[in-house]
Amino acid sequence: MQGCRGNWLSLFVILFVSSLIQIQAQSQITCFNRNSRCFLKKISCPKQCPSSSPSDPKAKVCYVNCNSPICKAECKNRKPNCNGPGSACLDPRFIGGDGVVFYFHGRRNEHFTLISDHNLQINARFIGLRPEGRSRDYTWIQSLGILFDSHKFSLEAKKSPIWNEELDHLKFSFNGEEIEIPGTHLSLWQSPEKALRVERTSPKNSITVTIPEIAEISVNVVPVTKEDDRIHNYQIPDNDCFAHLEVQFRFYDLSPEVEGVLGRTYRPDFENPAKPGVAMPVVGGEEKYKTTSLLGDDCRACVFSPGGGLEKKENVVMEYGLLDCTGGAANGNGIVCKK
């Protein structure tokens, strides 16, 4: 009898300690967006994603959506969700802030503005090729140029003849100087004033760029695969795998005047010209959004004016693209995910 009691007591102690460890493993995160009702609140992470910096590169992470109607932590994938709002993947296929899919082809070896707001400018350099007999270029996003305040940051996918996933294909610069980020999971680089941070979400080819209270950008480098080449008949040459970026943006403080290929889809008065039901709805704007360089702000529609922009009376909040929809409506802060 005493032996049974001892076994039950030992089992109880083990379960109690395990529960304590689980509770402690569930971290708390804080919203630092001063414009949020969640500002400086400590919020517990869900059991499905107990950490904001998991050691497993494939694990979902805990984050707080400061723009949510309620202060609640949520799970998200660290790599871009190419089927979520704010994404730009493939050749290039965008999903706007309004959730509408559209294609913007641009032109190879030229630069186009994705986002232009009073305090933020994001441009993209397009690479591509035009096989004989084609009327337009096949294009992909090869690099991003980001301007905010008085800072300039760029990231690019290095050109490579053959794709090797064991090599890192990312290159970075901040205010004109090249920066190095160690090739280990969760390696972090921050600008001197902590105005920008870059964190590796896997040892190679995947990062998250954060501009506090302004934007977060998930980036992944991929090649044009042989299967994609076969399906679309890109006619990729043997000396270039066309390494390019998959990206997804989350914005915290866009104004109603925001412009850009992607930015305009966040405007409250925007009517998307992409025709519903069309397999590849292509939208224009090449001349309107073309810039002279990756870090230029001289497109015809650009509104970027750090320190001298118009006073913003209201902000646009439309970012649920990285939510984990696997848990149904309970995890969506009142929003039901639909395909």
Side-chain angles (χ1 to χ4, degrees):
M1 191 70 175
Q2 290 180 348
C4 291
R5 287 179 180 176
N7 290 337
W8 278 109
L9 181 60
S10 298
L11 180 60
F12 175 79
V13 171
I14 291 172
L15 292 175
F16 179 74
V17 172
S18 298
S19 63
L20 282 178
I21 293 173
Q22 186 176 11
I23 291 172
Q24 291 175 351
Q26 286 181 240
S27 62
Q28 291 185 324
I29 53 177
T30 305
C31 171
F32 293 103
N33 187 342
R34 297 178 183 276
N35 297 322
S36 171
R37 63 192 301 176
C38 309
F39 180 55
L40 295 184
K41 286 188 176 181
K42 291 185 177 181
I43 304 168
S44 297
C45 295
K47 293 181 180 179
Q48 296 85 351
C49 53
S51 173
S52 58
S53 300
S55 56
D56 181 1
K58 297 181 180 179
K60 293 177 180 178
V61 300
C62 171
Y63 90 112
V64 58
N65 184 350
C66 295
N67 293 330
S68 171
I70 59 176
C71 300
K72 181 181 178 182
E74 301 157 353
C75 296
K76 72 168 184 177
N77 294 308
R78 305 205 72 182
K79 291 188 177 182
N81 174 10
C82 289
N83 293 313
S87 61
C89 304
L90 305 173
D91 54 345
R93 174 182 179 268
F94 292 83
I95 301 183
D98 55 2
V100 176
V101 176
F102 66 93
Y103 289 79
F104 175 84
H105 297 303
R107 288 187 286 269
R108 58 179 168 168
N109 301 325
E110 293 189 5
H111 308 91
F112 298 92
T113 295
L114 303 186
I115 301 289
S116 184
D117 205 1
H118 305 300
N119 64 340
L120 178 67
Q121 175 91 10
I122 302 177
N123 301 327
R125 179 177 185 266
F126 286 42
I127 56 171
L129 75 168
R130 182 182 298 188
E132 187 176 352
R134 290 287 301 176
S135 60
R136 67 163 182 87
D137 297 334
Y138 288 120
T139 54
W140 297 269
I141 294 176
Q142 181 263 342
S143 55
L144 294 178
I146 304 172
L147 295 81
F148 64 102
D149 296 333
S150 59
H151 303 296
K152 295 183 178 182
F153 173 77
S154 69
L155 64 93
E156 64 179 87
K158 300 176 186 176
K159 184 175 180 178
S160 178
I162 300 174
W163 179 257
N164 184 348
E165 62 181 14
E166 298 301 318
L167 299 177
D168 186 45
H169 297 265
L170 280 166
K171 183 179 179 181
F172 313 96
S173 73
F174 183 73
N175 290 341
E177 295 185 7
E178 189 170 333
I179 60 175
E180 297 288 339
I181 304 175
T184 56
H185 177 53
L186 300 182
S187 292
L188 175 67
W189 178 90
Q190 293 189 101
S191 62
E193 299 175 354
K194 297 185 179 180
L196 178 140
R197 55 182 284 165
V198 184
E199 182 180 17
R200 288 195 184 271
T201 50
S202 67
K204 302 174 182 67
N205 300 314
S206 297
I207 60 162
T208 296
V209 179
T210 303
I211 307 172
E213 300 187 32
I214 297 178
E216 182 179 286
I217 309 168
S218 299
V219 181
N220 194 39
V221 183
V222 294
V224 175
T225 66
K226 291 184 178 180
E227 181 65 11
D228 287 337
D229 188 22
R230 183 188 66 80
I231 293 173
H232 299 285
N233 192 29
Y234 291 137
Q235 301 182 37
I236 299 296
D238 294 332
N239 63 348
D240 193 346
C241 69
F242 281 87
H244 61 279
L245 306 178
E246 296 177 332
V247 298
Q248 187 176 23
F249 302 92
R250 186 164 71 251
F251 304 105
Y252 301 118
D253 197 30
L254 293 179
S255 76
E257 296 83 25
V258 63
E259 270 289 359
V261 174
L262 181 62
R264 58 186 169 177
T265 67
Y266 288 85
R267 297 176 67 136
D269 60 349
F270 179 70
E271 295 183 7
N272 204 313
K275 296 179 180 180
V278 178
M280 288 186 65
V282 179
V283 300
E286 282 85 353
E287 297 306 319
K288 184 178 181 181
Y289 296 120
K290 180 181 176 181
T291 63
T292 54
S293 67
L294 183 63
L295 294 169
D297 59 356
D298 54 354
C299 76
R300 292 181 183 177
C302 286
V303 297
F304 180 66
S305 55
L310 298 175
E311 183 180 353
K312 292 179 289 180
K313 296 182 180 180
E314 57 179 319
N315 296 327
V316 179
V317 177
M318 297 176 63
E319 275 308 323
Y320 293 91
L322 294 178
L323 291 185
D324 174 17
C325 292
T326 58
N331 290 336
N333 288 339
I335 292 178
V336 178
C337 301
K338 294 182 180 181
K339 293 184 179 180

